[in-house]
Amino acid sequence: MEIGVIGFSTQSFDVRKAKRLLDEALAYYYGREDVVISSGLTNLGVPAIAYELASKNGLKTKGVACAKAHKYEKYYCDTTLIVGAEWGDESLVFLDGLDILIRVGGGKQSFSELAAAKKMGIQCIEINL
């Protein structure tokens, strides 16, 4: 099972609240060897929170991003995919194969990926901050 997590990366947001709510959303899956948490590879914002929770609770990690992610600190993921040169080029590859998508806050790209996920029939969970 693959769970995608999208949301704020560099914008200001309530980190403690985001961590608490995402922890609650993921708690059912902790300790399962068949679960992968997929996000945007950077060690910033919501992706960093998702990866931290995954690693702390025995879940695998996957990072999917465009080449611009190399300009930022990256989280060490079990699997890494670099797709395209510009932000958003990776979106369809990121969404492909997801069973669930969790949005925690987010900007333009998060809402674009959320809309695409809904069209693809992916179960979506929306967490507003």
Side-chain angles (χ1 to χ4, degrees), residues 25-47:
L26 293 174
Y28 173 79
Y29 302 99
Y30 289 160
R32 290 182 45 182
E33 293 180 12
D34 65 330
V35 176
V36 176
I37 299 299
S38 182
S39 197
L41 183 61
T42 61
N43 197 22
L44 299 166
V46 170

Side-chain angles (χ1 to χ4, degrees), residues 16-106:
R16 288 176 46 186
K17 182 177 180 182
K19 186 173 186 175
R20 179 179 51 80
L21 293 172
L22 186 55
D23 187 39
E24 289 172 7
L26 293 174
Y28 173 79
Y29 302 99
Y30 289 160
R32 290 182 45 182
E33 293 180 12
D34 65 330
V35 176
V36 176
I37 299 299
S38 182
S39 197
L41 183 61
T42 61
N43 197 22
L44 299 166
V46 170
I49 293 168
Y51 291 140
E52 176 188 329
L53 291 169
S55 295
K56 176 182 166 187
N57 292 288
L59 305 178
K60 294 181 178 110
T61 55
K62 178 179 177 182
V64 183
C66 73
K68 285 189 175 181
H70 290 306
K71 296 178 182 178
Y72 299 89
E73 180 183 349
K74 292 175 283 306
Y75 192 90
Y76 176 80
C77 291
D78 298 306
T79 304
T80 300
L81 298 173
I82 301 296
V83 180
E86 299 296 325
W87 298 116
D89 288 352
E90 75 284 2
S91 292
L92 290 179
V93 172
F94 166 69
L95 294 171
D96 188 44
L98 290 184
D99 297 288
I100 300 170
L101 179 67
I102 302 173
R103 179 191 58 79
V104 182

